[in-house]
Amino acid sequence: MSIAITDDQVELAASLRKWAGSLGAIEAIRAAEGDPAATFADVWSVVEDMGVHAIAVPESAGGGGGTLLDQAVALEACAYSLLPGGLLGAATGGVLSGEPGRHGVQVYAGGVVWDGGGSLGLDLSARHAPTTTGGAGGDARTRRVAVTFAAAEAAGVARWCLDTAVEYAKVREQFGKPIGSFQAIKHLCAVMLETAEAITAAAWDAASAGDAGDEQQWDFAVDVALATCFDGAVDVAKACIQVLGGIGFTYEHDAHLYLRRALSLRSLVGSSAAAAERLTAAATSGVRRTVDVDLDGRDAPIRPEVSATVQAIADHPEHERRAALVETGYLTPHWPAPYGLGADAVQQVVIDQELAAAGVERPDLVIAGWAVPTILAHGDDAQREKFVRPSLLGDLVWCQLFSEPGSGSDLASLRTRGVKVDGGWKLTGQKVWTSVAERADWGICLARTDADVPQHKGITYFLVDMRSPGIEVRPLREITGEALFNEVFLDEVFVPDEYVVAEPGDGWKLARTTLANERVAMASARLSKSVERAVDLATTRDLGPVERVEVGRAVALATVCGLLGVRTTLRALGGHGPGAESSVAKLLGVRSRQDSSELVVRLQGDELATLGAIDKYATGLAADVWEQLNTRCLSIAGGTTQILRNVAAERILGLPR
C-alpha cells in the first residue's frame, strides 16, 4: 500500500507514478553513468514544469500550497520509478526556504549538500557533494524535513523492490513450477511485505506529524522513521535481488539501481542507532507517539449523544458497567442491533474516544469475541437468542475446540467425527490447546461429518455444552509452569440438531469467520507491555549505549505496530476495506512482543541466574521471565507465523499455491 490514504492522495500517487514512469528515468540514469557532471537537466525541467518539487510550498510563493504529506506522497511515487536528479533536495529546500527549491543548489544536511552537483557516486540517480565547512550540518528543522522526505523515498524504493520480486516469482519456473509456489520464496516475499508496510507506516507518520505542528511529536515520529525506514529499504532491496537470483545480480537488471538508492538514502540521513537512542531518551522522559484521528467534523452530530451515554455508563458502579455497556450497544458497537449498534467507522471511533476519556474499559470477551460473531452471521434466531446476550454479559464462558494433535493450522485434516443419530449428532475425537476448557460453559467445535467429500466440504460447526456426558478435560502444563491449555476428549458426545450452526458441511466457511475475528482481536491487542517495562528499566538503571539503542528499537517497532492500526482505522473512515497493513499487523506485533519481552530479561543481566520461582503476578524479574516464556506461544496461536506468511504471500501478494 502507498503512503496515501485519502482518496485525493491515492489519486495523486497513482497519477504521479504513471507520469514518472513515462519519463524514461532508468534510461536517463544509465545514459549518464559515465558522466560525473550529469545533472539530469532534461528530467528536471519536466519536474519543474509539473511543480512536483514544490507541492508543499505556499501558493503565494509559487508552490502548490499542499501539505508535507502531499509532498511525501509525490516523493514516494517518483522514487518508485527512480526519478533521477534533485527532487529530494529541492523538495526539502523548498519547505525550509518557503519558496520552490532550485536544481543543483539544495539542502545542506549531515555534512553533505544533497543533489548539489557533486561527482558520480554509489547512487547513479543523484549527485551529492561534500560541504566546504565539514561538520554535521543542518538544524533541527532541517533534520526533520530531510528525514521525513527521505523516508518517503525509501517507501517508494521498497515498494518497487517488493513488486518486482513478487512479479518475477509468479512467472519464473524451477522444477516445473513457479518459484513463488515454494514456501521459502513465499516467506521471503512475506517478510519483504512486512518490512515495506512498516516503512510505509513510519514514513506516513513522519509527514503527518510534521503537518500537525507539534515539534516534540514530529521529532519522535522522525526518529521512528529513521530507525525503521532506511535499514528496512536496504533489507527489502537486498531481498529483491535474492528472489531474482542470478539475474538480479547483473548490471543490466534495474534492481541494483534501487539498492544503490536505498544505501545512499541511508547514508544521507544519519545513524539509525543514534535515532534509537534518542527514542529511548524521549520515552524515558514520558514522550509517546499520540496520533489524533481527524474526523473532519463528521463527529459533531453524534458526539454530544455519545458523550452523554458514556457519562451515564461511567456513573454506574464499576460492577454494573458491563451490563450498561451491553444495554447501550457500546460493548460491541460494530455488531448489528440489538446486540450492537451497527455502527459505522466514525461512530466506533467516537465511542472509543469517549470511553477512553471517561476511563471506562470494555471487558475482554475472550473466546466469545470469536464465537459469537459466527453465531450472529450464520446462526438462527433461536441460537442468537440463547447465546449472544448472555455471552456479552459474561454469564457464558466459551472455549474453542478446533485444533487437534494432528491438525493444528491444517484444520481441514481434522479427525474428530460427527455421526448423525436421531435428533442430533454424536461427536468422538480429541482436541488440544483449548484455553479455559476447564471452566467453559460452551465450546465451538469442528467435526468431520462426511468422509466422502473433499476435506473442506465435510466439516460441520457445532455448539457443544461442555457439561455434556462423554467430555473429559485434561490440563496441559506449559513452559511457564502453568496450565492454561487443555486436552479435551469427546466420547460419543451428543449434540442436538438445534446446536448445529448453519448447515452440515458448512463448517469450513464458518471456521474462517471465527478465525478472522480471532486474528483481528490479536492484531489489535496491546503490544507495548514489555516495551514499557524496557523503558522503565532504561529510566531506573544505568544502561550502556548498546542497550539503550536496543530499547529505542523496541520503542520504534511498537510504535509502528500502533501506526498500522491507525492506518487501518483511517481507511475504514474513508469507506475502504483494510489494506495490507491489517494483515501484517499480527506478524509485526508478535515480533514486537516476543523480542521486547526477551530484551527486558536480557537488560537485567546475571540477576536471572539467581532468580527463584517465576510468577506472572509478581513484580520485577520473576514476572518478566514469565512474560518472556509466555510470549513464545504468540507465534503459534491463531495460526503459526509460517502459515500466516503463506497466507499473506498468497492472498495479498498473489503468489501461487
Side-chain angles (χ1 to χ4, degrees):
M1 304 299 294
S2 165
I3 288 174
I5 292 180
T6 68
D7 289 341
D8 287 345
Q9 288 172 348
V10 169
E11 184 177 346
L12 173 65
S15 63
L16 283 178
R17 184 185 286 192
K18 183 177 180 180
W19 167 80
S22 71
L23 297 181
I26 298 298
E27 292 81 357
I29 292 168
R30 291 188 179 278
E33 179 195 343
D35 182 3
T39 61
F40 305 105
D42 291 343
V43 173
W44 178 257
S45 66
V46 180
V47 171
E48 199 167 38
D49 288 343
M50 286 285 290
V52 179
H53 65 307
I55 288 175
V57 172
E59 286 185 89
S60 59
T67 64
L68 293 176
L69 185 54
D70 293 333
Q71 184 69 73
V73 167
L75 286 164
E76 178 194 35
C78 292
Y80 187 93
S81 296
L82 209 67
L83 198 72
L87 180 56
L88 175 59
T92 304
V95 169
L96 293 172
S97 66
E99 59 185 33
R102 291 174 293 157
H103 183 223
V105 184
Q106 311 307 339
V107 64
Y108 167 39
V112 175
V113 179
W114 290 15
D115 307 314
S119 61
L120 180 67
L122 170 67
D123 183 0
L124 303 182
S125 64
R127 303 290 186 267
H128 307 302
T131 66
T132 57
T133 59
D139 59 15
R141 178 169 170 77
T142 298
R143 185 182 73 86
R144 293 187 202 110
V145 177
V147 173
T148 295
F149 286 166
E153 284 213 346
V157 168
R159 193 64 53 179
W160 181 91
C161 292
L162 172 62
D163 289 350
T164 299
V166 168
E167 290 308 308
Y168 184 78
K170 290 177 181 178
V171 298
R172 176 70 167 101
E173 291 192 354
Q174 285 284 299
F175 308 105
K177 301 194 305 188
I179 63 172
S181 64
F182 303 146
Q183 182 164 279
I185 300 297
K186 280 187 171 70
H187 287 194
L188 189 55
C189 291
V191 172
M192 292 174 70
L193 173 66
E194 294 168 39
T195 306
E197 288 301 321
I199 294 168
T200 301
W204 165 81
D205 189 51
S208 299
D211 285 328
D214 185 322
E215 291 188 354
Q216 184 184 65
Q217 286 287 295
W218 193 9
D219 271 333
F220 195 92
V222 161
D223 279 330
V224 169
L226 213 166
T228 303
C229 296
F230 304 99
D231 290 335
V234 171
D235 288 344
V236 174
K238 291 191 293 188
C240 175
I241 293 173
Q242 185 71 21
V243 173
L244 294 170
I247 193 174
F249 191 66
T250 64
Y251 206 84
E252 286 72 18
H253 199 283
D254 298 339
H256 75 99
L257 299 175
Y258 284 83
L259 174 60
R260 288 167 179 265
R261 173 69 73 90
L263 290 166
S264 178
L265 287 171
R266 184 169 69 175
S267 72
L268 288 173
V269 297
S271 166
S272 64
E277 202 288 327
R278 288 193 296 270
L279 285 173
T280 299
T284 55
S285 67
V287 180
R288 301 292 184 275
R289 181 71 182 108
T290 55
V291 182
D292 292 326
V293 176
D294 183 7
L295 298 175
D296 196 27
R298 288 177 289 173
D299 57 324
I302 63 173
R303 191 172 291 277
E305 180 183 350
V306 171
S307 180
T309 301
V310 168
Q311 187 56 56
I313 294 170
D315 288 342
H316 283 79
E318 192 163 349
H319 69 278
E320 296 179 3
R321 287 181 180 176
R322 180 169 188 151
L325 286 165
V326 174
E327 290 294 334
T328 57
Y330 279 29
L331 180 56
T332 50
H334 57 296
W335 288 7
Y339 310 108
L341 302 173
D344 62 16
V346 172
Q347 192 173 4
Q348 289 180 54
V349 170
V350 172
I351 290 172
D352 286 351
Q353 289 175 340
E354 293 296 322
L355 287 173
V360 176
E361 293 187 13
R362 291 190 179 101
D364 186 357
L365 294 176
V366 198
I367 309 297
W370 313 337
V372 175
T374 306
I375 297 173
L376 283 173
H378 303 286
D380 57 33
D381 289 341
Q383 290 168 349
R384 285 188 280 270
E385 179 67 24
K386 180 176 179 64
F387 293 113
V388 178
R389 182 177 171 81
S391 298
L392 290 174
L393 291 170
D395 295 336
L396 293 181
V397 176
W398 289 84
C399 66
Q400 180 176 284
L401 302 166
F402 282 13
S403 294
E404 298 184 1
S407 306
S409 297
D410 182 17
L411 288 177
S413 67
L414 61 83
R415 297 182 179 181
T416 296
R417 303 188 316 276
V419 177
K420 189 71 179 77
V421 296
D422 187 28
W425 301 77
K426 285 194 174 181
L427 309 186
T428 300
Q430 179 185 355
K431 300 293 183 177
V432 73
W433 318 126
T434 308
S435 303
V436 306
E438 77 284 357
R439 58 185 176 88
D441 301 295
W442 287 83
I444 49 177
C445 181
L446 294 180
R448 184 166 304 284
T449 53
D450 189 343
D452 297 326
V453 296
Q455 282 186 332
H456 294 82
K457 296 184 178 180
I459 297 172
T460 299
Y461 196 107
F462 295 95
L463 307 178
V464 178
D465 185 341
M466 291 300 290
R467 293 171 179 79
S468 300
I471 293 180
E472 180 184 0
V473 177
R474 298 179 188 172
L476 285 171
R477 199 175 184 210
E478 292 85 48
I479 63 175
T480 61
E482 296 187 349
L484 303 176
F485 296 145
N486 300 273
E487 292 179 291
V488 179
F489 296 87
L490 302 101
D491 183 9
E492 295 194 339
V493 176
F494 178 72
V495 179
D497 285 326
E498 63 189 285
Y499 296 141
V500 172
V501 182
E503 299 296 326
D506 287 346
W508 179 253
K509 176 179 69 176
L510 273 61
R512 292 182 64 177
T513 301
T514 300
L515 292 177
N517 279 279
E518 175 184 4
R519 285 176 184 146
V520 169
M522 285 188 172
S524 60
R526 183 173 181 267
L527 302 174
S528 59
K529 176 180 179 180
S530 291
V531 176
E532 293 290 355
R533 173 69 173 138
V535 171
D536 289 342
L537 290 171
T539 305
T540 58
R541 295 184 176 222
D542 185 19
L543 300 182
V546 173
E547 294 169 317
R548 291 182 65 83
V549 167
E550 288 186 286
V551 173
R553 293 195 189 283
V555 170
L557 179 55
T559 302
V560 167
C561 290
L563 294 173
L564 294 172
V566 173
R567 283 171 58 82
T568 297
T569 298
L570 290 173
R571 289 190 192 282
L573 289 169
H576 303 291
E581 65 271 355
S582 65
S583 298
V584 303
K586 183 188 183 227
L587 291 165
L588 288 175
V590 165
R591 187 197 310 173
S592 175
R593 288 188 62 183
Q594 290 184 334
D595 289 355
S596 60
S597 65
E598 183 174 343
L599 172 62
V600 165
V601 174
R602 195 167 65 248
L603 291 176
Q604 297 174 72
D606 60 7
E607 295 175 32
L608 182 64
T610 57
L611 177 68
I614 65 172
D615 183 356
K616 69 176 177 180
Y617 300 109
T619 58
L621 184 57
D624 296 335
V625 173
W626 186 93
E627 181 70 10
Q628 179 189 5
L629 294 176
N630 188 57
T631 56
R632 297 316 311 163
C633 75
L634 298 179
S635 50
I636 302 170
T640 67
T641 293
Q642 290 69 33
I643 292 297
L644 293 181
R645 283 183 175 149
N646 284 350
V647 172
E650 292 168 7
R651 296 185 186 172
I652 299 175
L653 300 178
L655 291 176
R657 292 180 62 86

